[in-house]
Amino acid sequence: HVASDASLLKSKMGQADRCTASGSRVACLSRFDSVVFVVPSPVSIAAKLASRVIPNRICLQRSRCASVAGLLRSRAAFCSGPSGLYRSHIFTSRESGFSTYATLNDASIGAKFSLSPAAATGTATSLSEASLGGPAWDIYSEYPSLTSPEFEQDVKILQVLIDRINDLAKPVADAIPSAASLGVTEASTIIETLHKISKLRWEAVPLASNLFVFASCESSIDGKNATARALIGRIQAISSKLQQSLQPASLFLLRATDEVVEAYLKTPHTSLETYEVSHRRKLRKHVLCLEEETLITALSTNGITAWGTLYRNIAGSLQVGLEAEGQEPKTVSVATAAGFLDNSDRKLREAAWRGIGKAWRTHEEACAGMLNAITGWRLEVSSRKKYPSFLTVPLHDNRMTMGTLNAMVQAVDESKWVGQQAILTQAYALGLPQLAPWDLFAPPPNFGLSSDWPGETKYSYQEALDKIVQTVSEVHPDMGEFVKMMDQNRWVEARSGESKQPGAYCTVFRKSRTPRVYLSSFTGGNQDLFGLAHELGHSFHDWVMRDMPLAEVSYPLNLAETASIMFETLLQNKLLDSASTPQQKAQYGWTGAEAAAAFLLNIPARFDFERALCEARASEQLNPEKLTGLMVQSWEKYYGPALSEMDPDFWMSKVHFYLSSVAFYNFPYTFGYLFALGVYAQRERLGDEFFPAYVALLRDTGTMDSEQLVLKHLGTDITQLDFWMGSISIVQAQVEAFTDAVCSLIPLDKAEELRAELREIKPPT
């Protein structure tokens, strides 16, 4: 394709046209790619790059990209200075130094190429700031671009598979009314047809997933990407048609007798669906007729799904005005503003928090409309299907019982003082009587340590990665090798960008069975360190299941948090074990205190709000004022005296309330947090046997209910309060140690004041 793309290549080579310089540092913005390179010296860095690049890896030779245009679309790196590009050195992201920047940079800051579009806004970014940037991911091994023939080919294959399923499904649909009365002999033809549909299903599902994940990844790194937005809508519509085509087979298996279902599951490939089918049949009495089920699926594309898409589009384009005292006002994306919430400058944190709230309030009517529509849709479907509760589906999706949820919520409600103690201790450490909402992610203070131990510990991306590798390798070398592989394969996205979607996630390309991690930015604080560990934990979960059949790898949200929080817990305990002074114990205990507050206060407040929202929405539409009131009530219930004020705009700024694909995206986090602590507690007991036992547990998450999984691997009953209180006791011990460390560092009168406040919130023994 080089010849046909020659003119495009020529035009792109002249577009690195916006530069700022300060001394020997230059920040250059390539307009077509929105990527900034911050280098100590443009001439020397170009020479170093040129001296280290093997000629046959230059992109004009054959590369993994299908064409030069594909290379440009895949975020090719341009090294340029004030006069434009140096010769014609255009390299792919891998060859341009993403994995070798530490050796190219005289300062040896150990980071990947720093990508920060904000650097080209008028002042040069300092090298120390640039070193904190994260890498760009490689998703283009799946498809060269959104408009590539490979992407379109998979779309066509998916559509053909859907047509074939529809043709096979017609006699199955006709047999649904009599499914409950058919014996195995009478249903033999239908069973054979269902076997054929099953094979086509497992060809189609990975394709639909792959296409959607790729388009979503592109939208994540550029929320204004109109092509990605359009394709997400297109793939959602096609996926809806796939779901509709599979509906007859699904409904027949729900209504069929146990004997017919057993006959269906006897073949080698359908036997893999045994758990999935048996679990779905638990809700068989709530199934509607085929026409109604198909109608709900068809209408969801332009109904509940569209509202969720609208929210993501608004979030991706939302601009936040920052007006911090002593600083020039500026406008940034919501993702960039959120990155300031863990800044050491309290005035900047407050400005970011207030700016985010103000930006969302300009859309409060739209957000209220979306939230009413999403919640109303679910309540209507629940009513039509005669579910006992609006929690029936979330509990079923998480493969847990109401008894388990009630036991966990009771344990959390009785122990919320532990989270409040964590926050109050942080407040006194910061010299405050209470934290404000903008302080919830504040970094720890200096605690009187020497100047070579700053209060806000900053990690370059490589330093963070190395720390995670070192930590998890102590459990087993395979875990460390996995993290290194994620980096070497460029499966992590952590650049900063004004158009990036806020948040962090792990996703999987089902065709290649390879995970990807997305971070909206990497600024080097503890939040980024633990956020990276969290998402890598998710990726490890997917990785250890990569050889399993697709029918057995789908696990629920609550169990999904097991591996992610395990990585965080390992990292937290590694830091605490290395602490030898009260200052270090307070520093390293800070993140544990944040976790206690998040999982024992923030997540429960979200659950409490969503439950109150569903109860209120059943009888009326809720305007912004009522939604704000419900949000404040939930925060006050859990945060209580630990905060100086609540976050009234949280119902707008938290994306989880607007997910169209899943309701109550909250309690699974607390489940995962407490469950992971219970699993971690087995490490000392099992010794060298812990790693294989842990992997076995992860591999079972796709084929067992939560209660069965815990009983098998931990030998305990999670429907009982004792399990949850046992895990919370681990958190309590960590928070107590953190409080002791802080009290030994602050003035005696303040320590006594803190102890007195803690006695007020702690219930009698």
Side-chain angles (χ1 to χ4, degrees), residues 168-216:
L168 289 169
K170 292 174 182 177
V172 179
D174 293 339
I176 289 174
S178 57
S181 61
L182 294 177
V184 174
T185 302
E186 298 167 291
S188 59
T189 303
I190 298 297
I191 292 172
E192 289 178 9
T193 303
L194 290 174
H195 288 159
K196 295 176 183 177
I197 291 175
S198 176
K199 290 181 179 179
L200 294 174
R201 175 195 176 194
W202 294 113
E203 290 181 48
V205 167
L207 285 181
S209 174
N210 231 59
L211 293 166
F212 181 79
V213 167
F214 185 79
S216 296

Side-chain angles (χ1 to χ4, degrees), residues 141-450:
S141 54
E142 299 296 322
Y143 304 104
S145 75
L146 289 169
T147 57
S148 66
E150 293 88 341
F151 187 91
E152 192 59 35
Q153 180 66 19
D154 273 0
V155 172
K156 292 178 180 177
I157 293 173
L158 177 58
Q159 290 172 324
V160 169
L161 290 170
I162 293 171
D163 289 341
R164 291 174 62 188
I165 293 171
N166 276 325
D167 290 341
L168 289 169
K170 292 174 182 177
V172 179
D174 293 339
I176 289 174
S178 57
S181 61
L182 294 177
V184 174
T185 302
E186 298 167 291
S188 59
T189 303
I190 298 297
I191 292 172
E192 289 178 9
T193 303
L194 290 174
H195 288 159
K196 295 176 183 177
I197 291 175
S198 176
K199 290 181 179 179
L200 294 174
R201 175 195 176 194
W202 294 113
E203 290 181 48
V205 167
L207 285 181
S209 174
N210 231 59
L211 293 166
F212 181 79
V213 167
F214 185 79
S216 296
C217 286
E218 285 283 59
S219 179
S220 292
I221 58 178
D222 182 5
K224 298 178 181 178
N225 187 329
T227 302
R229 287 187 186 183
L231 282 173
I232 287 173
R234 181 185 176 196
I235 301 305
Q236 285 174 334
I238 295 173
S239 296
S240 176
K241 291 180 180 178
L242 172 60
Q243 189 177 351
Q244 292 172 58
S245 72
L246 294 169
Q247 213 116 47
S250 176
L251 288 179
F252 183 89
L253 289 172
L254 286 173
R255 294 190 171 184
T257 63
D258 291 342
E259 292 74 20
V260 169
V261 172
E262 288 173 10
Y264 166 76
L265 294 171
K266 280 185 177 178
T267 69
H269 78 272
T270 56
S271 65
L272 302 172
E273 301 172 17
T274 298
Y275 174 78
E276 178 201 9
V277 172
S278 64
H279 184 66
R280 283 196 294 111
R281 280 171 65 84
K282 292 177 182 178
L283 296 182
R284 58 187 298 192
K285 67 180 181 180
H286 301 290
V287 175
L288 302 176
C289 69
L290 176 61
E291 291 76 17
E292 289 176 309
E293 291 284 356
T294 303
L295 182 62
I296 290 172
T297 302
L299 292 177
S300 65
T301 302
N302 295 309
I304 186 172
T305 302
W307 292 118
T309 301
L310 175 59
Y311 179 88
R312 290 195 302 274
N313 291 342
I314 291 174
S317 59
L318 196 64
Q319 294 294 296
V320 176
L322 288 183
E323 299 178 3
E325 184 179 336
Q327 299 186 25
E328 287 290 324
K330 57 182 176 180
T331 301
V332 299
S333 70
V334 67
T336 300
F340 293 132
L341 292 176
D342 65 352
N343 194 278
S344 59
D345 184 342
R346 191 169 193 245
K347 293 178 180 178
L348 180 57
R349 293 199 304 270
E350 181 178 1
W353 182 79
R354 295 197 183 281
I356 291 171
K358 183 178 180 180
W360 276 112
R361 284 194 295 276
T362 64
H363 297 280
E364 64 178 9
E365 290 292 347
C367 287
M370 287 183 276
L371 205 52
N372 276 287
I374 291 170
T375 308
W377 176 285
R378 290 185 177 127
L379 291 174
E380 183 63 29
V381 171
S382 179
S383 174
R384 296 277 179 174
K385 294 193 173 189
K386 295 181 171 56
Y387 289 135
S389 164
F390 49 73
L391 285 167
T392 299
V393 172
L395 287 170
H396 183 263
D397 289 346
N398 283 281
R399 302 173 190 171
M400 58 188 283
T401 65
M402 184 67 80
T404 296
L405 178 63
N406 289 339
M408 185 186 77
V409 171
Q410 180 184 347
V412 169
D413 283 353
E414 292 180 5
S415 307
K416 59 187 176 185
W417 64 270
V418 177
Q420 293 172 358
Q421 175 175 338
I423 287 181
L424 284 170
T425 303
Q426 288 180 310
Y428 273 78
L430 292 168
L432 303 168
Q434 295 169 299
L435 291 189
W438 54 87
D439 298 318
L440 290 173
F441 302 115
N446 185 277
F447 288 119
L449 292 165
S450 59

